[in-house]
Amino acid sequence: VPEASAATGSLQRECSDDGRVPEIAAQRRLHAAVLEAFRARLISSLDGRRPALAQLEAAGVPFHRVEILKATSESVYFLSSEGLREAEWSMIPPGQVAALAHAAGLLEPRDLFALGLLCHYAGLPEDARRFLLRLEGTSFSVVARGLLAPPSAGDGIERAP
């Protein structure tokens, strides 16, 4: 079928991104692995420390005088002045994940890089930039600069504005 062949060729040219698709896919896999490792450290640290926070927002609702009781791969369980609550991770905005990470003592460069990635992929460029800029002078500074750099024409790599 000539039309299908022509359409397939056109689609391949559009998706080829000058041969950078494998590089972009590898970058995204690496980012996913970084975020997954961060999530595991965060869960472990929250369980071990059971930190307290003045406030935690989940699903757009602020909870006050919060104590983390348990964290799992699906949810965070906490006691607040409003009572015992459970919040799925998807209901906790990136800024609040950052507050949890800070309360849990996750302040190493690898944690800041993961928080920068989290904010970047959540469409929060200013927050991403704030975390990524803090990596200057660390072993993550080169990769952070790569995410902060303006995109080259047609390179297809997403960066924080």
Side-chain angles (χ1 to χ4, degrees):
V1 179
E3 295 87 13
S5 178
T8 302
S10 174
L11 181 60
Q12 287 173 338
R13 280 190 301 282
E14 288 176 28
C15 293
S16 73
D17 202 14
D18 298 328
R20 304 244 349 221
V21 170
E23 180 184 336
I24 294 166
Q27 179 190 46
R28 296 238 173 98
R29 283 191 300 275
L30 176 63
H31 290 175
V34 167
L35 289 169
E36 188 57 38
F38 170 74
R39 182 173 129 163
R41 286 192 310 278
L42 179 58
I43 289 167
S44 176
S45 189
L46 288 172
D47 277 346
R49 290 183 180 227
R50 292 182 52 167
L53 297 97
Q55 181 175 310
L56 178 69
E57 181 183 323
V61 177
F63 296 95
H64 303 90
R65 294 190 310 274
V66 172
E67 179 187 356
I68 303 300
L69 301 176
K70 175 93 178 133
T72 69
S73 60
E74 293 85 29
S75 300
V76 177
Y77 300 87
F78 58 92
L79 186 60
S80 73
S81 59
E82 293 82 12
L84 183 61
R85 300 284 191 235
E86 172 190 4
E88 294 179 11
W89 283 107
S90 61
M91 297 175 8
I92 301 174
Q96 295 295 287
V97 172
L100 286 168
H102 187 268
L106 298 181
L107 305 171
E108 294 178 20
R110 65 183 178 165
D111 303 317
L112 298 175
F113 180 64
L115 288 167
L117 285 175
L118 177 67
C119 293
H120 170 73
Y121 286 113
L124 302 168
E126 290 306 314
D127 291 333
R129 184 174 193 73
R130 182 171 45 93
F131 287 115
L132 295 171
L133 286 173
R134 290 175 57 191
L135 294 169
E136 193 59 41
T138 72
S139 61
F140 287 87
S141 61
V142 171
V143 70
R145 269 188 249 124
L147 283 170
L148 291 167
S152 300
D155 74 359
I157 296 178
E158 295 182 34
R159 295 181 178 84

